[in-house]
Amino acid sequence: IHTAYTNRTHKILTPSIKRIAFFGIFLVLSSQVLLAQNSAFSTYSPVCDTCSHHLNLRFEGASFFQNNEYFDSFAYGLTGIGFYVQPTLEYYFIPNLRVNAGVFALKYSGLDHFDQVIPIFSIQYQAAKSLEIVFGNIFGTLNHNLEQPLFRYDRFYTNHVEYGMQFLLNTKNIKSDLWLHWKHFILPGDTAPERLVVGNNTEIHLLSHKDLSVELPVQFLFSHRGGQLEPGPHYVATLFNGLTGLKFKFNLNSYSSLQFQPLIAFYHALNLPNPGDPGYQPYQTGFGLYPKLQYSYHHFNLMTAYWYGKK
């Protein structure tokens, strides 16, 4: 459940009791969003190293309700209610090699038809003890575990399917997700440019202690548009968004912890089109600050953060 409210909504709730009740509900729902984003929204599953000639049915699905009441010029309000389903058949030809085939279907409440119906096909191979390779439909969206300034979590249902290739590394001190998402393929005569995204999320463990652990997160996205097959005028542009910082985790006891993450984001654009041309962006460079504080108690998570972005 995703919730948001603005100052205009806050002014309508004039009685103090309504304000307190709404704020309490908002905190509870926000904590559930945070928990779901870290666990329930993950669709990744490792391959089986003992399975051979096994045929399984895998069923994924989620329902969602999101209400963004925005009234500013730089963001539009959006209410999304619906569900998606993704049934697939998975088959192990040999241990550590799995093939999935099925279909993804997205349905918004209030529409008589499915908004998206996409065929699903993927090959997942355990190339080494700590390395997995995925071709076709990769483990995308919230599986990348990117910070929200880089990647909106509502893309979990609006743009759930990502096709390309993916390398998943998981060692004692390094966990990394490197992927290529080919968003739009073109043929001769197509009028739209090709579009692709290259991304990476790497967590490096710097210190691991009973009461304190320190990690170095490194995240980036390259968004590229170009190609020479569509009719002119041609342009090739690349947008870079990156984020890094430190992650401190203090273990208060066996069931509670406190995390502090001072993060900084960067933006840079290459070969931007001129104003008025397709693909134009108003800024070429920019940065952002994103400090986060999170308290965890058993399965309850409460997070607060501040975002400052310039260009």
Side-chain angles (χ1 to χ4, degrees):
I1 298 177
H2 307 286
T3 61
Y5 72 97
T6 63
N7 289 336
R8 181 174 297 185
T9 307
H10 187 72
K11 291 178 181 178
I12 295 175
L13 302 176
T14 51
S16 59
I17 297 179
K18 289 186 178 181
R19 293 182 182 178
I20 297 174
F22 186 89
F23 184 69
I25 295 174
F26 177 76
L27 287 180
V28 173
L29 293 179
S30 299
S31 66
Q32 295 303 314
V33 168
L34 179 63
L35 176 62
Q37 185 173 347
N38 292 338
S39 57
F41 285 175
S42 174
T43 59
Y44 164 79
S45 63
V47 295
C48 175
D49 57 1
T50 60
C51 299
S52 181
H53 304 292
H54 285 198
L55 178 64
N56 303 317
L57 172 64
R58 177 181 175 88
F59 185 87
E60 294 177 15
S63 58
F64 54 86
F65 171 73
Q66 177 180 349
N67 184 30
N68 289 340
E69 295 292 340
Y70 299 144
F71 297 96
D72 296 290
S73 58
F74 62 87
Y76 54 86
L78 174 66
T79 300
I81 307 174
F83 68 90
Y84 85 82
V85 292
Q86 183 174 304
T88 58
L89 289 175
E90 58 180 35
Y91 183 73
Y92 284 88
F93 287 93
I94 58 175
N96 294 325
L97 178 62
R98 180 173 66 194
V99 176
N100 281 65
V103 64
F104 169 86
L106 172 65
K107 175 71 167 60
Y108 288 107
S109 300
L111 293 180
D112 296 333
H113 60 275
F114 282 89
D115 186 71
Q116 297 178 18
V117 178
I118 304 174
I120 296 298
F121 182 82
S122 66
I123 300 175
Q124 186 177 355
Y125 177 57
Q126 185 83 39
K129 182 179 179 180
S130 57
L131 176 63
E132 289 183 75
I133 304 176
V134 185
F135 295 95
N137 178 43
I138 64 176
F139 297 105
T141 62
L142 296 188
N143 292 283
H144 300 314
N145 203 27
L146 296 173
E147 295 292 343
Q148 289 191 47
L150 293 187
F151 200 90
R152 291 172 58 100
Y153 55 72
D154 55 359
R155 294 177 65 89
F156 176 76
Y157 65 88
T158 61
N159 301 85
H160 185 80
V161 178
E162 296 182 9
Y163 263 98
M165 59 189 306
Q166 185 175 34
F167 299 89
L168 300 172
L169 179 67
N170 192 0
T171 67
K172 180 181 179 181
N173 295 318
I174 298 178
K175 184 178 181 181
S176 180
D177 178 5
L178 174 65
W179 71 93
L180 165 66
H181 175 205
W182 204 281
K183 301 180 66 174
H184 184 71
F185 175 82
I186 61 174
L187 293 171
D190 288 344
T191 58
E194 65 182 9
R195 293 180 290 129
L196 59 96
V197 173
V198 175
N200 177 255
N201 182 6
T202 298
E203 297 179 358
I204 304 174
H205 296 271
L206 303 178
L207 175 65
S208 182
H209 191 266
K210 178 181 178 181
D211 299 325
L212 173 65
S213 63
V214 182
E215 296 181 2
L216 172 65
V218 179
Q219 303 179 6
F220 66 78
L221 285 173
F222 284 95
S223 179
H224 176 79
R225 293 192 178 196
Q228 294 77 38
L229 295 179
E230 83 280 2
H234 302 288
Y235 77 93
V236 177
T238 302
L239 305 180
F240 167 77
N241 288 276
L243 182 144
T244 188
L246 289 173
K247 178 181 178 181
F248 301 93
K249 182 178 180 181
F250 304 91
N251 296 316
L252 305 178
N253 46 52
S254 59
Y255 49 83
S256 63
S257 64
L258 187 66
Q259 293 184 23
F260 174 62
Q261 299 182 60
L263 304 174
I264 182 171
F266 305 92
Y267 161 75
H268 186 72
L270 299 174
N271 302 322
L272 284 179
N274 296 321
D277 293 340
Y280 168 73
Q281 299 287 336
Y283 304 120
Q284 185 170 355
T285 60
F287 74 95
L289 302 177
Y290 190 48
K292 297 172 56 181
L293 184 65
Q294 176 181 333
Y295 173 73
S296 300
Y297 180 82
H298 289 292
H299 298 293
F300 178 82
N301 295 273
L302 180 63
M303 186 269 284
T304 183
Y306 175 77
W307 167 250
Y308 171 81
K310 184 175 182 180
K311 298 185 179 180

